[in-house]
Each structure stands twice: as C-alpha cells, then as structure tokens.
C-alpha cells in the first residue's frame, strides 16, 4: 500500500498543505498540520510520496503503541492471559485494523485518541469519581479531550457529551470540575470558531 492509502478527504488536506486551497476545519487543521510536516519533508527529499510514507509509518507506530497500551491496561486490570492473547491476536491478524493503520485519514488517529479516553473513563468509573481529585488525571483527561476535539469535527460534540455525563454521574465533584470543563469547552469553541475563521 505504499505510500499509504489516500482518499478524497486526504487529498483536500494535501491541497491545503500545498497552498492550492485555503485551510478549513472540515478537514481538521490538526490532522492537516501533522500530515503537512511529512508532506513538506517528502518535498524536501524530492518525492512527496516519501513524505506520505513517513507519515504512514508514524501513524502505524502510534496505533501500535495504543494497542500495546490497551493490552497493558487490560493486564493491569487483571484480565486473564488467554483473553489478553485473544486481544493481541485481534490486533495482530485483523485485516481491518491493518488497513486502518495505513489509511491516511483523520479517523485513524481520532479512533486511537478515543480508545485512550475510554480507558480514562473506565479508570474514573472504577475509582467512583475519586480520580477527579487528582490533578494529573484532570490534566490527562483535558489534554485527551482537546486532542479529540481537534482530531475530528464531531470530536467537540463527543467532548461536550462526555463532560456532561461526568458532571451528571459525579455531581459531588461539581465545584472542582465545572470550571475546568467549562474553560476547556470555551477554549475549543473560540479556537474552532473565531480563530479558525
């Protein structure tokens, strides 16, 4: 699949990188920016396809790392070794995941970020909300929320819905989380609204 599987959406991002069309967030600016680093590297090396290939390898490494992180997460939760082997096998031999990892489209990295956020939500539920007292957890949770919102347009709605559910389920932490969640939503809205415009 050298240099990677590209679809129409990806071509719009490449056109934005090359200056053929203006940047619009319909093709997320974050994705286009990261892809642009590799595209410009390819141009410097005399072949844009090399840059696309480097991006594909970069994306494959990230998705593999997320898969390893998920297996490690499950292992720490006490999941049996047989089930862990099944999960590793699922990631290793599933052709959909293999094709997904070499497809240059915003959805790939978005799905990886979403997997990590779901693990954070699991930890939060397991702690019965106690993790909301931990500044490190809040920073990680908000950082993942920013990445999710900027990785795909509908990511912002997922962030809002996630924050709403966390606030509803962990009302006793309302005073602690509402300022952080409100600031996060406002900052994302300002960046994706007036700043991008």
């Amino acid at each position: 699949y050298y240099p990677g599987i590209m679809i129409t959406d990806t071509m719009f991002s490449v056109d934005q990188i090359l200056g053929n069309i203006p940047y619009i967030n319909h093709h997320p600016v974050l994705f286009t920016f990261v892809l642009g680093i590799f595209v410009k590297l390819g141009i410097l090396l005399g072949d844009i396809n090399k840059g696309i290939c480097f991006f594909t390898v970069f994306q494959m490494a990230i998705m593999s790392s997320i898969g390893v992180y998920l297996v490690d997460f499950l292992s720490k939760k006490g999941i049996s070794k047989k089930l862990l082997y099944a999960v590793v096998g699922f990631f290793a031999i599933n052709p959909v995941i293999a094709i997904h990892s070499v497809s240059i489209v915003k959805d790939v990295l978005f799905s990886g970020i979403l997997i990590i956020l779901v693990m954070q939500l699991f930890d939060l539920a397991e702690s019965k909300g106690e993790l909301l007292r931990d500044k490190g957890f809040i920073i990680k949770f908000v950082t993942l929320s920013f990445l999710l919102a900027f990785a795909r347009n509908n990511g912002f709605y997922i962030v809002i819905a996630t924050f709403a559910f966390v606030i509803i389920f962990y009302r006793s932490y309302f005073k602690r989380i509402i300022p952080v969640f409100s600031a996060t939503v406002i900052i994302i809205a300002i960046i994706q609204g007036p700043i991008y415009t």
Side-chain angles (χ1 to χ4, degrees):
Y1 294 105
Y2 176 87
I5 300 170
M6 296 180 68
I7 63 169
T8 307
D9 281 358
T10 314
M11 294 311 298
F12 276 106
S13 290
V14 171
D15 275 340
Q16 290 174 17
I17 294 161
L18 297 176
N20 298 334
I21 59 174
Y23 282 85
I24 57 169
N25 199 40
H26 179 71
H27 308 286
V29 173
L30 178 64
F31 171 77
T32 303
F33 174 77
V34 174
L35 178 61
I37 294 168
F38 292 93
V39 167
K40 290 173 183 173
L41 176 63
I43 291 169
L44 281 173
L45 295 173
D47 184 1
I48 195 171
N49 288 317
K50 288 180 182 174
I52 298 294
C53 179
F54 293 146
F55 177 84
T56 303
V57 171
F58 166 76
Q59 181 174 268
M60 290 168 63
I62 287 176
M63 295 308 290
S64 294
S65 298
I66 290 170
V68 169
Y69 183 59
L70 174 61
V71 171
D72 183 58
F73 176 85
L74 294 173
S75 175
K76 288 176 181 172
K77 298 298 177 192
I79 301 298
S80 72
K81 287 205 182 238
K82 285 183 182 178
L83 190 54
L84 288 175
Y85 289 134
V87 171
V88 170
F90 175 78
F91 280 115
I93 63 174
N94 187 327
V96 174
I97 291 176
I99 295 295
H100 189 67
S101 71
V102 296
S103 298
I104 303 171
V105 64
K106 62 189 179 255
D107 306 309
V108 177
L109 296 175
F110 171 82
S111 66
I113 296 164
L114 191 58
I115 288 169
I116 297 170
L117 185 65
V118 167
M119 286 188 276
Q120 293 300 296
L121 289 169
F122 183 89
D123 280 341
L124 179 61
E126 192 176 53
S127 77
K128 295 183 170 60
E130 282 297 309
L131 280 174
L132 293 171
R133 295 181 190 275
D134 181 357
K135 286 181 185 176
F137 175 84
I138 294 288
I139 290 168
K140 190 174 181 181
F141 191 72
V142 167
T143 301
L144 287 167
S145 298
F146 269 107
L147 288 172
L148 195 70
F150 288 104
R152 211 183 132 112
N153 288 330
N154 61 355
F156 185 45
Y157 304 111
I158 294 170
V159 168
I160 292 170
T162 302
F163 284 178
F165 279 106
V166 169
I167 290 167
I168 289 167
F169 283 102
Y170 304 109
R171 287 184 291 278
S172 59
Y173 300 95
F174 184 83
K175 289 181 182 176
R176 182 168 182 81
I177 59 177
I178 201 69
V180 175
F181 287 0
S182 297
T184 302
V185 168
I186 290 167
I187 291 167
I188 293 168
I190 289 171
I191 293 170
Q192 291 186 353
I195 291 176
Y196 276 179
T197 301

